[in-house]
PDB file of all heavy atoms in Angstrom:
ATOM      1  N   ASN A   1      90.737 124.777 101.305  1.00  0.00           N
ATOM      2  CA  ASN A   1      90.797 126.068 100.614  1.00  0.00           C
ATOM      3  C   ASN A   1      90.211 125.897  99.208  1.00  0.00           C
ATOM      4  O   ASN A   1      90.774 125.202  98.370  1.00  0.00           O
ATOM      5  CB  ASN A   1      92.251 126.543 100.540  1.00  0.00           C
ATOM      6  CG  ASN A   1      92.355 127.964  99.984  1.00  0.00           C
ATOM      7  OD1 ASN A   1      91.417 128.479  99.376  1.00  0.00           O
ATOM      8  ND2 ASN A   1      93.512 128.580 100.189  1.00  0.00           N
ATOM      9  N   GLN A   2      89.068 126.558  98.936  1.00  0.00           N
ATOM     10  CA  GLN A   2      88.388 126.379  97.648  1.00  0.00           C
ATOM     11  C   GLN A   2      89.237 126.842  96.467  1.00  0.00           C
ATOM     12  O   GLN A   2      89.042 126.377  95.342  1.00  0.00           O
ATOM     13  CB  GLN A   2      87.058 127.138  97.657  1.00  0.00           C
ATOM     14  CG  GLN A   2      86.021 126.516  98.595  1.00  0.00           C
ATOM     15  CD  GLN A   2      84.665 127.184  98.457  1.00  0.00           C
ATOM     16  OE1 GLN A   2      84.566 128.297  97.979  1.00  0.00           O
ATOM     17  NE2 GLN A   2      83.624 126.491  98.902  1.00  0.00           N
ATOM     18  N   LYS A   3      90.194 127.728  96.702  1.00  0.00           N
ATOM     19  CA  LYS A   3      91.059 128.207  95.619  1.00  0.00           C
ATOM     20  C   LYS A   3      91.909 127.081  95.038  1.00  0.00           C
ATOM     21  O   LYS A   3      92.431 127.182  93.932  1.00  0.00           O
ATOM     22  CB  LYS A   3      91.988 129.310  96.147  1.00  0.00           C
ATOM     23  CG  LYS A   3      91.263 130.611  96.387  1.00  0.00           C
ATOM     24  CD  LYS A   3      92.101 131.735  96.974  1.00  0.00           C
ATOM     25  CE  LYS A   3      93.566 131.564  96.940  1.00  0.00           C
ATOM     26  NZ  LYS A   3      94.273 132.708  97.571  1.00  0.00           N
ATOM     27  N   ASN A   4      92.054 125.982  95.806  1.00  0.00           N
ATOM     28  CA  ASN A   4      92.930 124.894  95.356  1.00  0.00           C
ATOM     29  C   ASN A   4      92.192 123.779  94.614  1.00  0.00           C
ATOM     30  O   ASN A   4      92.782 122.738  94.330  1.00  0.00           O
ATOM     31  CB  ASN A   4      93.655 124.291  96.564  1.00  0.00           C
ATOM     32  CG  ASN A   4      94.566 125.293  97.247  1.00  0.00           C
ATOM     33  OD1 ASN A   4      95.177 126.137  96.591  1.00  0.00           O
ATOM     34  ND2 ASN A   4      94.654 125.216  98.562  1.00  0.00           N
ATOM     35  N   GLU A   5      90.900 124.008  94.305  1.00  0.00           N
ATOM     36  CA  GLU A   5      90.106 122.930  93.700  1.00  0.00           C
ATOM     37  C   GLU A   5      90.677 122.450  92.374  1.00  0.00           C
ATOM     38  O   GLU A   5      90.708 121.256  92.092  1.00  0.00           O
ATOM     39  CB  GLU A   5      88.656 123.400  93.502  1.00  0.00           C
ATOM     40  CG  GLU A   5      87.839 123.358  94.782  1.00  0.00           C
ATOM     41  CD  GLU A   5      86.388 123.749  94.548  1.00  0.00           C
ATOM     42  OE1 GLU A   5      86.013 123.917  93.367  1.00  0.00           O
ATOM     43  OE2 GLU A   5      85.647 123.885  95.533  1.00  0.00           O
ATOM     44  N   ALA A   6      91.153 123.392  91.542  1.00  0.00           N
ATOM     45  CA  ALA A   6      91.676 123.017  90.225  1.00  0.00           C
ATOM     46  C   ALA A   6      92.898 122.124  90.360  1.00  0.00           C
ATOM     47  O   ALA A   6      93.035 121.110  89.669  1.00  0.00           O
ATOM     48  CB  ALA A   6      92.024 124.268  89.427  1.00  0.00           C
ATOM     49  N   LEU A   7      93.783 122.504  91.267  1.00  0.00           N
ATOM     50  CA  LEU A   7      94.996 121.714  91.467  1.00  0.00           C
ATOM     51  C   LEU A   7      94.676 120.376  92.130  1.00  0.00           C
ATOM     52  O   LEU A   7      95.241 119.335  91.777  1.00  0.00           O
ATOM     53  CB  LEU A   7      95.994 122.503  92.326  1.00  0.00           C
ATOM     54  CG  LEU A   7      97.414 121.941  92.418  1.00  0.00           C
ATOM     55  CD1 LEU A   7      98.051 121.830  91.047  1.00  0.00           C
ATOM     56  CD2 LEU A   7      98.279 122.797  93.324  1.00  0.00           C
ATOM     57  N   GLN A   8      93.727 120.416  93.068  1.00  0.00           N
ATOM     58  CA  GLN A   8      93.341 119.192  93.764  1.00  0.00           C
ATOM     59  C   GLN A   8      92.786 118.155  92.792  1.00  0.00           C
ATOM     60  O   GLN A   8      93.047 116.957  92.907  1.00  0.00           O
ATOM     61  CB  GLN A   8      92.302 119.527  94.835  1.00  0.00           C
ATOM     62  CG  GLN A   8      91.884 118.336  95.678  1.00  0.00           C
ATOM     63  CD  GLN A   8      90.672 118.645  96.536  1.00  0.00           C
ATOM     64  OE1 GLN A   8      90.368 119.802  96.786  1.00  0.00           O
ATOM     65  NE2 GLN A   8      89.972 117.622  96.971  1.00  0.00           N
ATOM     66  N   SER A   9      92.029 118.621  91.807  1.00  0.00           N
ATOM     67  CA  SER A   9      91.436 117.698  90.825  1.00  0.00           C
ATOM     68  C   SER A   9      92.487 117.080  89.928  1.00  0.00           C
ATOM     69  O   SER A   9      92.201 116.112  89.218  1.00  0.00           O
ATOM     70  CB  SER A   9      90.395 118.433  89.979  1.00  0.00           C
ATOM     71  OG  SER A   9      91.028 119.390  89.138  1.00  0.00           O
ATOM     72  N   ARG A  10      93.687 117.631  89.929  1.00  0.00           N
ATOM     73  CA  ARG A  10      94.764 117.098  89.086  1.00  0.00           C
ATOM     74  C   ARG A  10      95.769 116.273  89.896  1.00  0.00           C
ATOM     75  O   ARG A  10      96.917 116.121  89.518  1.00  0.00           O
ATOM     76  CB  ARG A  10      95.472 118.232  88.356  1.00  0.00           C
ATOM     77  CG  ARG A  10      94.633 118.807  87.227  1.00  0.00           C
ATOM     78  CD  ARG A  10      95.214 120.106  86.695  1.00  0.00           C
ATOM     79  NE  ARG A  10      94.505 120.570  85.514  1.00  0.00           N
ATOM     80  CZ  ARG A  10      93.359 121.237  85.520  1.00  0.00           C
ATOM     81  NH1 ARG A  10      92.755 121.492  86.686  1.00  0.00           N
ATOM     82  NH2 ARG A  10      92.784 121.628  84.401  1.00  0.00           N
ATOM     83  N   MET A  11      95.311 115.800  91.056  1.00  0.00           N
ATOM     84  CA  MET A  11      96.167 114.969  91.910  1.00  0.00           C
ATOM     85  C   MET A  11      95.567 113.573  92.090  1.00  0.00           C
ATOM     86  O   MET A  11      94.352 113.412  92.136  1.00  0.00           O
ATOM     87  CB  MET A  11      96.302 115.589  93.319  1.00  0.00           C
ATOM     88  CG  MET A  11      97.109 116.834  93.395  1.00  0.00           C
ATOM     89  SD  MET A  11      97.134 117.393  95.125  1.00  0.00           S
ATOM     90  CE  MET A  11      98.018 118.941  94.946  1.00  0.00           C
ATOM     91  N   ILE A  12      96.421 112.606  92.176  1.00  0.00           N
ATOM     92  CA  ILE A  12      96.048 111.275  92.659  1.00  0.00           C
ATOM     93  C   ILE A  12      96.681 111.150  94.040  1.00  0.00           C
ATOM     94  O   ILE A  12      97.915 111.136  94.159  1.00  0.00           O
ATOM     95  CB  ILE A  12      96.587 110.164  91.745  1.00  0.00           C
ATOM     96  CG1 ILE A  12      95.948 110.238  90.367  1.00  0.00           C
ATOM     97  CG2 ILE A  12      96.366 108.795  92.378  1.00  0.00           C
ATOM     98  CD1 ILE A  12      94.530 109.746  90.295  1.00  0.00           C
ATOM     99  N   VAL A  13      95.857 111.141  95.078  1.00  0.00           N
ATOM    100  CA  VAL A  13      96.381 111.100  96.448  1.00  0.00           C
ATOM    101  C   VAL A  13      96.470 109.642  96.902  1.00  0.00           C
ATOM    102  O   VAL A  13      95.471 108.913  96.882  1.00  0.00           O
ATOM    103  CB  VAL A  13      95.490 111.912  97.414  1.00  0.00           C
ATOM    104  CG1 VAL A  13      96.044 111.843  98.833  1.00  0.00           C
ATOM    105  CG2 VAL A  13      95.412 113.359  96.949  1.00  0.00           C
ATOM    106  N   MET A  14      97.658 109.234  97.280  1.00  0.00           N
ATOM    107  CA  MET A  14      97.892 107.856  97.706  1.00  0.00           C
ATOM    108  C   MET A  14      98.321 107.859  99.172  1.00  0.00           C
ATOM    109  O   MET A  14      99.439 108.285  99.495  1.00  0.00           O
ATOM    110  CB  MET A  14      98.980 107.230  96.843  1.00  0.00           C
ATOM    111  CG  MET A  14      99.038 105.724  96.912  1.00  0.00           C
ATOM    112  SD  MET A  14      97.576 104.900  96.249  1.00  0.00           S
ATOM    113  CE  MET A  14      97.621 105.394  94.538  1.00  0.00           C
ATOM    114  N   PRO A  15      97.451 107.400 100.087  1.00  0.00           N
ATOM    115  CA  PRO A  15      97.847 107.355 101.503  1.00  0.00           C
ATOM    116  C   PRO A  15      98.993 106.351 101.713  1.00  0.00           C
ATOM    117  O   PRO A  15      98.965 105.246 101.167  1.00  0.00           O
ATOM    118  CB  PRO A  15      96.575 106.879 102.217  1.00  0.00           C
ATOM    119  CG  PRO A  15      95.465 107.111 101.246  1.00  0.00           C
ATOM    120  CD  PRO A  15      96.064 106.948  99.892  1.00  0.00           C
ATOM    121  N   VAL A  16      99.983 106.768 102.494  1.00  0.00           N
ATOM    122  CA  VAL A  16     101.104 105.881 102.838  1.00  0.00           C
ATOM    123  C   VAL A  16     101.136 105.781 104.366  1.00  0.00           C
ATOM    124  O   VAL A  16     101.735 106.618 105.045  1.00  0.00           O
ATOM    125  CB  VAL A  16     102.452 106.423 102.308  1.00  0.00           C
ATOM    126  CG1 VAL A  16     103.584 105.454 102.660  1.00  0.00           C
ATOM    127  CG2 VAL A  16     102.384 106.634 100.803  1.00  0.00           C
ATOM    128  N   PRO A  17     100.463 104.779 104.932  1.00  0.00           N
ATOM    129  CA  PRO A  17     100.390 104.665 106.398  1.00  0.00           C
ATOM    130  C   PRO A  17     101.661 104.044 106.969  1.00  0.00           C
ATOM    131  O   PRO A  17     102.546 103.600 106.231  1.00  0.00           O
ATOM    132  CB  PRO A  17      99.194 103.725 106.598  1.00  0.00           C
ATOM    133  CG  PRO A  17      99.224 102.841 105.381  1.00  0.00           C
ATOM    134  CD  PRO A  17      99.742 103.691 104.252  1.00  0.00           C
ATOM    135  N   TYR A  18     101.731 103.994 108.275  1.00  0.00           N
ATOM    136  CA  TYR A  18     102.801 103.254 108.941  1.00  0.00           C
ATOM    137  C   TYR A  18     102.613 101.752 108.708  1.00  0.00           C
ATOM    138  O   TYR A  18     101.491 101.274 108.493  1.00  0.00           O
ATOM    139  CB  TYR A  18     102.775 103.506 110.448  1.00  0.00           C
ATOM    140  CG  TYR A  18     103.277 104.869 110.884  1.00  0.00           C
ATOM    141  CD1 TYR A  18     102.529 105.643 111.776  1.00  0.00           C
ATOM    142  CD2 TYR A  18     104.499 105.363 110.439  1.00  0.00           C
ATOM    143  CE1 TYR A  18     102.989 106.887 112.202  1.00  0.00           C
ATOM    144  CE2 TYR A  18     104.956 106.608 110.848  1.00  0.00           C
ATOM    145  CZ  TYR A  18     104.204 107.362 111.735  1.00  0.00           C
ATOM    146  OH  TYR A  18     104.657 108.584 112.145  1.00  0.00           O
ATOM    147  N   ASN A  19     103.701 101.029 108.802  1.00  0.00           N
ATOM    148  CA  ASN A  19     103.656  99.571 108.778  1.00  0.00           C
ATOM    149  C   ASN A  19     102.896  99.060 110.008  1.00  0.00           C
ATOM    150  O   ASN A  19     103.029  99.608 111.099  1.00  0.00           O
ATOM    151  CB  ASN A  19     105.093  99.036 108.769  1.00  0.00           C
ATOM    152  CG  ASN A  19     105.172  97.615 109.250  1.00  0.00           C
ATOM    153  OD1 ASN A  19     104.562  96.722 108.693  1.00  0.00           O
ATOM    154  ND2 ASN A  19     105.902  97.406 110.337  1.00  0.00           N
ATOM    155  N   LEU A  20     102.112  97.995 109.822  1.00  0.00           N
ATOM    156  CA  LEU A  20     101.319  97.447 110.927  1.00  0.00           C
ATOM    157  C   LEU A  20     101.686  96.000 111.247  1.00  0.00           C
ATOM    158  O   LEU A  20     100.930  95.305 111.924  1.00  0.00           O
ATOM    159  CB  LEU A  20      99.823  97.547 110.595  1.00  0.00           C
ATOM    160  CG  LEU A  20      99.269  98.967 110.418  1.00  0.00           C
ATOM    161  CD1 LEU A  20      97.806  98.929 110.004  1.00  0.00           C
ATOM    162  CD2 LEU A  20      99.447  99.798 111.684  1.00  0.00           C
ATOM    163  N   LYS A  21     102.824  95.537 110.745  1.00  0.00           N
ATOM    164  CA  LYS A  21     103.273  94.168 111.027  1.00  0.00           C
ATOM    165  C   LYS A  21     104.507  94.210 111.917  1.00  0.00           C
ATOM    166  O   LYS A  21     105.505  94.862 111.570  1.00  0.00           O
ATOM    167  CB  LYS A  21     103.600  93.431 109.730  1.00  0.00           C
ATOM    168  CG  LYS A  21     102.402  93.213 108.827  1.00  0.00           C
ATOM    169  CD  LYS A  21     102.837  92.512 107.544  1.00  0.00           C
ATOM    170  CE  LYS A  21     101.668  92.342 106.585  1.00  0.00           C
ATOM    171  NZ  LYS A  21     102.114  91.786 105.285  1.00  0.00           N
ATOM    172  N   VAL A  22     104.450  93.508 113.039  1.00  0.00           N
ATOM    173  CA  VAL A  22     105.552  93.536 114.011  1.00  0.00           C
ATOM    174  C   VAL A  22     106.859  93.044 113.385  1.00  0.00           C
ATOM    175  O   VAL A  22     107.911  93.653 113.570  1.00  0.00           O
ATOM    176  CB  VAL A  22     105.195  92.698 115.259  1.00  0.00           C
ATOM    177  CG1 VAL A  22     106.403  92.536 116.175  1.00  0.00           C
ATOM    178  CG2 VAL A  22     104.047  93.353 116.022  1.00  0.00           C
ATOM    179  N   SER A  23     106.795  91.937 112.655  1.00  0.00           N
ATOM    180  CA  SER A  23     108.024  91.369 112.091  1.00  0.00           C
ATOM    181  C   SER A  23     108.675  92.331 111.100  1.00  0.00           C
ATOM    182  O   SER A  23     109.910  92.452 111.053  1.00  0.00           O
ATOM    183  CB  SER A  23     107.739  90.032 111.409  1.00  0.00           C
ATOM    184  OG  SER A  23     106.686  90.151 110.488  1.00  0.00           O
ATOM    185  N   ASP A  24     107.852  93.058 110.311  1.00  0.00           N
ATOM    186  CA  ASP A  24     108.416  94.031 109.371  1.00  0.00           C
ATOM    187  C   ASP A  24     108.944  95.269 110.099  1.00  0.00           C
ATOM    188  O   ASP A  24     109.937  95.869 109.678  1.00  0.00           O
ATOM    189  CB  ASP A  24     107.367  94.438 108.336  1.00  0.00           C
ATOM    190  CG  ASP A  24     107.144  93.359 107.298  1.00  0.00           C
ATOM    191  OD1 ASP A  24     108.127  92.716 106.895  1.00  0.00           O
ATOM    192  OD2 ASP A  24     105.994  93.137 106.893  1.00  0.00           O
ATOM    193  N   GLU A  25     108.283  95.657 111.181  1.00  0.00           N
ATOM    194  CA  GLU A  25     108.773  96.797 111.969  1.00  0.00           C
ATOM    195  C   GLU A  25     110.146  96.474 112.550  1.00  0.00           C
ATOM    196  O   GLU A  25     111.048  97.321 112.573  1.00  0.00           O
ATOM    197  CB  GLU A  25     107.774  97.122 113.086  1.00  0.00           C
ATOM    198  CG  GLU A  25     108.053  98.416 113.822  1.00  0.00           C
ATOM    199  CD  GLU A  25     107.738  99.661 113.004  1.00  0.00           C
ATOM    200  OE1 GLU A  25     107.105  99.547 111.932  1.00  0.00           O
ATOM    201  OE2 GLU A  25     108.130 100.761 113.443  1.00  0.00           O
ATOM    202  N   GLU A  26     110.308  95.249 112.991  1.00  0.00           N
ATOM    203  CA  GLU A  26     111.610  94.809 113.511  1.00  0.00           C
ATOM    204  C   GLU A  26     112.678  94.907 112.422  1.00  0.00           C
ATOM    205  O   GLU A  26     113.808  95.336 112.681  1.00  0.00           O
ATOM    206  CB  GLU A  26     111.493  93.368 114.017  1.00  0.00           C
ATOM    207  CG  GLU A  26     112.736  92.859 114.721  1.00  0.00           C
ATOM    208  CD  GLU A  26     112.568  91.430 115.224  1.00  0.00           C
ATOM    209  OE1 GLU A  26     111.544  90.787 114.933  1.00  0.00           O
ATOM    210  OE2 GLU A  26     113.492  90.960 115.922  1.00  0.00           O
ATOM    211  N   ARG A  27     112.326  94.535 111.194  1.00  0.00           N
ATOM    212  CA  ARG A  27     113.279  94.630 110.071  1.00  0.00           C
ATOM    213  C   ARG A  27     113.661  96.087 109.800  1.00  0.00           C
ATOM    214  O   ARG A  27     114.806  96.368 109.443  1.00  0.00           O
ATOM    215  CB  ARG A  27     112.669  94.024 108.808  1.00  0.00           C
ATOM    216  CG  ARG A  27     112.535  92.515 108.858  1.00  0.00           C
ATOM    217  CD  ARG A  27     111.803  91.998 107.630  1.00  0.00           C
ATOM    218  NE  ARG A  27     112.602  92.183 106.422  1.00  0.00           N
ATOM    219  CZ  ARG A  27     112.095  92.188 105.192  1.00  0.00           C
ATOM    220  NH1 ARG A  27     110.781  92.035 105.017  1.00  0.00           N
ATOM    221  NH2 ARG A  27     112.874  92.343 104.151  1.00  0.00           N
TER     222      ARG A  27
END
């Protein structure tokens, strides 16, 4: 949505993915 450009420019987007390590998933 182009209306959100001003707000988007004032964000730092940090991706937070799922864990990919079996031993940590077990924990």
Side-chain angles (χ1 to χ4, degrees):
N1 187 343
Q2 291 187 340
K3 287 177 15 181
N4 297 325
E5 281 183 7
L7 191 59
Q8 183 191 340
S9 68
R10 287 168 173 81
M11 289 180 185
I12 295 285
V13 179
M14 197 65 63
V16 181
Y18 286 131
N19 159 59
L20 297 176
K21 295 178 183 174
V22 171
S23 52
D24 285 322
E25 190 73 11
E26 187 179 6
R27 289 175 68 200

